[in-house]
Amino acid sequence: MKARSIMFQGTGSGVGKSVICAGFCRLLARRGIKVAPFKSQNMALNSGVAQGGEMGRAQILQAQAAGIEPDVRMNPVLLKPIGNSTSQVIRLGKPVGNFTAREYYEMSQENLKTAVQAYESLANEYDAIIIEGAGSPAEINLHRTDIVNMRTAEFADAPVFIIGDIDRGGVFAWMKGTYDLLPEYGRPRVKGFIINRFRGDISLLQPGIDMFRELVPVPVTGTVPMLNLTLEEEDSQSIENSTKGGFVTVAVVRTARMSNFTDFTPLATCPDINLIYAKSPNELTGADIIILPGSKSTIADMKDLRMRGFDKKILSMADKTPVVGICGGFQMLGRTIKDPEGIEGSDSECAGLGLLDMETVITPEKTLLNRTYQGLGLLEGLDFRGYEIHMGVSATSKEYAQLCTEKDVCIADGKIIGTYIHGIFDSEEVAARIIALSGKNIRPDYSYHKNKQAQLDLLADTLEQHLDTEYILSSLY
């Protein structure tokens, strides 16, 4: 029997679509329903390696919530912005090239075909599919080339529930405006609204909900309270400092094109750690650990950091403060970064920080690996999972300490650590040993994985309690 589906769209980006979809995946999985997530097109610099190649981290989280292995069919089209209105297009897990926004929209029929085929394939294997939209379905200039909102609802024959974020204010105007600007063919599919991130007394909001029903012929199916979750988010606008009285300060340098900031979610959830995203060099002062994150355009980000004075600040602290570079950040630790074919942008070369005697050349071939690594040196005795996504080869002229058996993907020179492995902090033991280089030790009994599972269950419980879930799920039965 072919799967039935439900779709969650939003009044805009960052309203909580990804997390609510994860909650419904967990809710259905707990009821014994074989459920999978789906998002036709994702635009994000947070990606991971799954079965078939590269896909968005939001759908990876949703698959984990459903208790299944992530599969690129769950996110058949992924756009990774590289600047100047240009994105790398990933189709079914593999890069197909860099395209401007106009060029991409001219490919809409081809991408729609890919999305339909991926959905149909999943629908033949699962009982239910939870579909996530993107941005807003009310972007009237994009209706003709849409493949991710109402066009997806149409080919999946899915009822639609629209999520609004009341914490931003104006939620009723946002919801009504969205409904009014929907394409005519999509409006009948809307079966309800969800108000997300509510604080306060629900009785004070209820008159507004009653009046809204008189204006829009679709019910508000519930109000989800503000939850202080630390689950992985898709949108960069969700990046925020996590300062909760910890005694270890980890400073992530906030680059303009930062990718895979989900690497730091485990650090943000640890009660012993204050995680800050430093926008200026002065914010690095007092940090116990400095991290250079991944980047979709490493040379451009390196030049930007130098222009803002981060290079001098990092070099002045590096003799005493551990510095960790991940992926693009790893490349920045070297002497030079070269991009002779202009793969990541127009800049062909720039100097790195010179903390490692290393040269990186950006190459067209993308490394996509997801595996278990065996630790060496500082990480001796640890087995940890992680993944690699990079378009570059880094060569050193010095023998550095290898931190795992896979040569040159995780190396150290004293307190300077460079790695191509994303998700390395998902291992509490790895995080603890790296943080110990600062002279401070986090508690050994904290488990990121247990915390994540507990938060997914809390999310599902909250949806059950505050939404009319039986009405929302009625199309599945």
Side-chain angles (χ1 to χ4, degrees):
M1 178 178 169
K2 184 177 177 181
R4 295 182 178 180
S5 59
I6 300 171
M7 186 168 194
F8 294 94
Q9 298 180 13
T11 54
S13 296
V15 299
K17 297 186 296 292
S18 297
V19 170
I20 284 181
C21 284
F24 273 97
C25 284
R26 174 54 63 97
L27 187 157
L28 289 171
R30 295 195 312 192
R31 295 186 181 187
I33 296 173
K34 189 178 180 184
V35 57
F38 181 80
K39 184 170 185 175
S40 292
Q41 170 204 291
N42 214 334
M43 176 176 277
L45 288 176
N46 284 336
S47 63
V49 180
Q51 183 177 330
E54 185 177 2
M55 65 183 284
R57 290 290 304 180
Q59 280 60 61
I60 290 177
L61 172 67
Q62 291 161 6
Q64 292 169 343
I68 59 176
E69 286 297 316
D71 184 307
V72 296
R73 292 176 298 169
M74 300 168 186
N75 174 210
V77 180
L78 172 63
L79 307 180
K80 303 187 76 173
I82 60 175
N84 297 320
S85 298
T86 301
S87 295
Q88 182 185 57
V89 177
I90 313 292
R91 192 180 289 149
L92 289 175
K94 301 296 189 293
V96 296
N98 297 339
F99 300 91
T100 66
R102 183 174 296 279
E103 290 169 338
Y104 175 75
Y105 290 129
E106 291 172 353
M107 301 161 54
S108 63
Q109 287 303 116
E110 185 179 354
N111 290 325
L112 178 63
K113 181 179 178 180
T114 298
V116 171
Q117 291 174 342
Y119 176 84
E120 293 292 336
S121 178
L122 286 174
N124 289 325
E125 297 178 18
Y126 290 88
D127 301 323
I129 297 181
I130 297 297
I131 306 174
E132 180 185 345
S136 166
E139 300 290 352
I140 56 178
N141 57 309
L142 301 180
H143 284 171
R144 185 177 60 83
T145 55
D146 167 49
I147 71 165
V148 67
N149 285 311
M150 282 304 173
R151 194 78 65 83
T152 294
E154 186 176 41
F155 72 66
D157 193 22
V160 173
F161 294 85
I162 297 177
I163 301 166
D165 179 3
I166 195 170
D167 196 49
R168 299 185 180 193
V171 71
F172 292 116
W174 212 352
M175 292 191 302
K176 186 179 189 310
T178 298
Y179 184 82
D180 289 348
L181 290 176
L182 289 175
E184 288 295 330
Y185 73 86
R187 197 171 298 157
R189 291 198 173 275
V190 179
K191 303 304 179 184
F193 288 88
I194 294 171
I195 296 177
N196 194 25
R197 297 174 180 151
F198 178 71
R199 310 172 192 256
D201 185 347
I202 188 67
S203 66
L204 298 178
L205 182 66
Q206 190 59 49
I209 293 174
D210 296 337
M211 294 168 67
F212 183 77
R213 184 61 191 267
E214 297 176 4
L215 298 170
V216 177
V218 178
V220 173
T221 59
T223 302
V224 181
M226 176 67 79
L227 293 173
N228 293 316
L229 300 176
T230 50
L231 295 170
E232 299 167 2
E233 290 273 12
E234 174 180 279
D235 295 306
S236 60
Q237 59 190 297
S238 66
I239 297 175
E240 57 183 24
N241 295 343
S242 176
T243 54
K244 49 195 173 297
F247 56 85
V248 178
T249 298
V250 177
V252 178
V253 177
R254 179 72 184 265
T255 61
R257 302 158 188 84
M258 179 169 59
S259 64
N260 287 75
F261 60 82
T262 49
D263 282 339
F264 314 117
T265 303
L267 302 179
T269 66
C270 179
D272 295 337
I273 295 175
N274 289 328
L275 179 71
I276 64 170
Y277 289 93
K279 298 178 181 179
S280 69
N282 289 338
E283 292 181 87
L284 299 183
T285 302
D288 298 298
I289 303 260
I290 297 171
I291 299 179
L292 287 164
S295 170
K296 193 66 191 74
S297 301
T298 309
I299 291 178
D301 270 346
M302 183 66 239
K303 287 187 172 182
D304 180 62
L305 293 185
R306 181 167 283 116
M307 182 180 69
R308 290 192 281 157
F310 271 103
D311 57 334
K312 294 178 181 178
K313 183 66 174 180
I314 292 170
L315 292 174
S316 72
M317 296 176 65
D319 58 334
K320 296 180 180 179
T321 305
V323 179
V324 180
I326 301 177
C327 200
F330 176 24
Q331 296 170 348
M332 293 179 195
L333 294 177
R335 288 184 290 103
T336 58
I337 309 160
K338 298 180 179 180
D339 186 4
E341 298 185 41
I343 294 166
E344 290 192 348
S346 58
D347 295 319
S348 61
E349 182 175 344
C350 81
L353 292 170
L355 291 171
L356 294 175
D357 189 7
M358 180 179 76
E359 179 180 279
T360 296
V361 178
I362 307 299
T363 56
E365 298 77 23
K366 178 175 280 194
T367 297
L368 294 171
L369 294 169
N370 188 342
R371 59 186 172 189
T372 297
Y373 298 84
Q374 294 178 307
L376 296 175
L378 175 69
L379 306 181
E380 183 72 41
L382 300 181
D383 290 343
F384 56 95
R385 287 204 63 81
Y387 58 98
E388 299 173 41
I389 303 177
H390 59 93
M391 301 178 78
V393 176
S394 298
T396 63
S397 54
K398 178 179 176 180
E399 285 295 322
Y400 290 111
Q402 302 291 323
L403 299 188
C404 70
T405 52
E406 301 297 328
K407 186 173 172 58
D408 294 334
V409 300
C410 192
I411 64 176
D413 184 17
K415 293 185 177 183
I416 308 300
I417 295 176
T419 183
Y420 272 122
I421 305 172
H422 291 287
I424 193 168
F425 294 121
D426 287 15
S427 165
E428 298 85 6
E429 295 89 350
V430 170
R433 292 196 189 180
I434 292 176
I435 287 170
L437 291 173
S438 70
K440 296 182 178 180
N441 294 287
I442 59 175
R443 68 189 71 180
D445 58 347
Y446 173 74
S447 171
Y448 168 62
H449 295 282
K450 289 181 180 179
N451 181 70
K452 183 188 233 181
Q453 295 304 314
Q455 291 208 5
L456 286 169
D457 283 328
L458 171 62
L459 175 60
D461 290 342
T462 302
L463 297 182
E464 291 263 27
Q465 180 181 354
H466 293 276
L467 298 180
D468 187 351
T469 53
E470 297 315 307
Y471 170 74
I472 294 171
L473 300 176
S474 61
S475 65
L476 299 181
Y477 304 114

